Amino acid sequence: MDVPRHGVGLQFNPELMGWFPFFEEPLDVLEVLFDSVMGPLDGPALVAPRSVELVQQISGTIPLIGHSNYGGDFGFDDLADTTAVRRHVPLARSLDVSWVSNHCFYSDASWSDVWSSPLQFSAAEAIRAAGRARTLQDLYGVPFAHENAAYYRVCPGSEMPEEDFLAQLIELSGTYLHLDLHNVYANEQNHAVNGYSAQRFLDTIPLDRVICVHMAGGRWIDGQYHDLHDTRVPEAVWDLLDEVLSRASPRAVILEYETQALHCDGETLDTGRTTEMIQADLERGRKAWDRAYGPGNRYSTAKGVL
Ligand SMILES: [Fe+2]
């Protein structure tokens, strides 16, 4: 598929609404969380009434990409009954997104129990998930990419590392990868003793299928590193980005934050300083992109050429 190259953008996260100056930033792309703007399944609206104005604000103004966390994409319900098919597919079409990404999680109509429930990394699950992924990509009509998970425990029955599973899944489905570098970093913090290696991960996944990169931060709590998206992006994750930009050709780098108050050096910041820190991360992302691909190769610097 022909996929446009956008540049560096931000996740349009509801937790940032009302205080982060999205529309004053030179963003190249916005990532819309379908779950946060969609209407409930038992109602008639595709877009939730509270989100109608927001959606109108962003439509047609900047390239959009879609992200599905709780679509039930890789769960066990009939695909036709899932949130992905009933809400995310028509949303993707109505917002004219360049591509859609999802999490490699199990999920169903219950949102609270599915976070960090990685797929079983097995040959049988690669075949099953690939069938659903292929069908969903056909329905979306745009590239469909799968995000590597940050997980605390490996799903029982797993028989291979996550990176081998993702490589098999992509080969079988013809879909794409959405590479979350902070999830790779977090997994290395938590699972290095079990052999997880960021380098092996990057050397094993098909880098030519990486369509988008996520960058985020997190922190240690009680001896476990958490993917909380509530700090600046760690140095080691920036290093991974430089490597990926030099070896792959992602069409966007998206920064993720999920809080009004980032944690920094043991301190909780106010929204003003949080804004400055997010803006500094965005600028650093743009510099990394421009270093790899040259100036003028992002949506906001290409003057409509891209
Ligand atoms: Fe992510």
Side-chain angles (χ1 to χ4, degrees), residues 194-248:
N194 300 319
Y196 187 100
S197 148
Q199 202 57 54
R200 186 187 189 281
F201 190 97
L202 294 182
D203 290 343
T204 303
I205 58 169
L207 284 171
D208 61 333
R209 304 297 287 184
V210 172
I211 208 169
C212 188
V213 172
H214 261 176
M215 301 285 283
R219 57 200 165 94
W220 289 92
I221 299 174
D222 294 337
Q224 188 152 264
Y225 186 82
H226 291 260
D227 172 47
L228 293 175
H229 303 177
D230 67 345
T231 69
R232 63 170 63 155
V233 176
E235 287 300 319
V237 181
W238 288 115
D239 292 342
L240 290 174
L241 178 64
D242 284 336
E243 179 175 350
V244 167
L245 293 182
S246 72
R247 294 176 61 189

Side-chain angles (χ1 to χ4, degrees), residues 4-207:
R5 167 171 281 205
H6 294 318
V8 179
L10 194 56
Q11 189 172 77
F12 203 49
N13 194 298
E15 289 206 34
L16 274 65
M17 309 284 175
W19 60 272
F20 187 82
F22 279 99
F23 303 108
E24 291 159 33
E25 276 294 303
L27 299 175
D28 301 311
V29 55
L30 271 181
E31 184 181 71
V32 180
L33 297 172
F34 286 156
D35 304 292
S36 69
V37 299
M38 72 178 201
L41 289 179
D42 57 355
L46 176 60
V47 176
R50 69 174 186 284
S51 301
V52 167
E53 201 177 321
L54 267 180
V55 166
Q56 282 170 347
Q57 245 184 322
I58 57 175
S59 294
T61 60
I62 181 173
L64 299 178
I65 56 178
H67 194 58
S68 157
N69 281 327
Y70 303 105
D73 309 30
F74 291 144
F76 295 87
D77 292 341
D78 283 347
L79 207 48
D81 296 331
T82 61
T83 307
V85 170
R86 294 173 60 195
R87 286 289 181 268
H88 296 179
V89 167
L91 266 175
R93 290 178 181 276
S94 101
L95 292 171
D96 195 23
V97 297
S98 302
W99 64 82
V100 178
S101 56
N102 72 339
H103 259 291
C104 279
F105 285 166
Y106 292 120
S107 60
D108 54 27
S110 164
W111 285 17
S112 56
D113 297 323
V114 296
W115 195 251
S116 293
S117 57
L119 298 190
Q120 183 191 69
F121 304 142
S122 68
E125 270 303 84
I127 294 168
R128 191 190 68 85
R132 292 172 77 94
R134 199 166 40 240
T135 303
L136 274 170
Q137 182 165 259
D138 287 345
L139 290 170
Y140 278 124
V142 292
F144 186 39
H146 317 304
E147 179 171 0
N148 55 298
Y151 49 86
Y152 301 111
R153 301 289 181 272
V154 174
C155 181
S158 293
E159 55 195 27
M160 65 182 85
E162 181 189 22
E163 54 268 32
D164 296 75
F165 173 81
L166 291 172
Q168 282 193 19
L169 169 64
I170 296 304
E171 189 179 345
L172 292 167
S173 62
T175 50
Y176 296 80
L177 283 175
H178 173 114
L179 176 59
D180 188 312
L181 289 175
H182 187 253
N183 288 351
V184 171
Y185 174 78
N187 287 344
E188 189 169 61
Q189 304 308 302
N190 292 325
H191 304 301
V193 288
N194 300 319
Y196 187 100
S197 148
Q199 202 57 54
R200 186 187 189 281
F201 190 97
L202 294 182
D203 290 343
T204 303
I205 58 169
L207 284 171

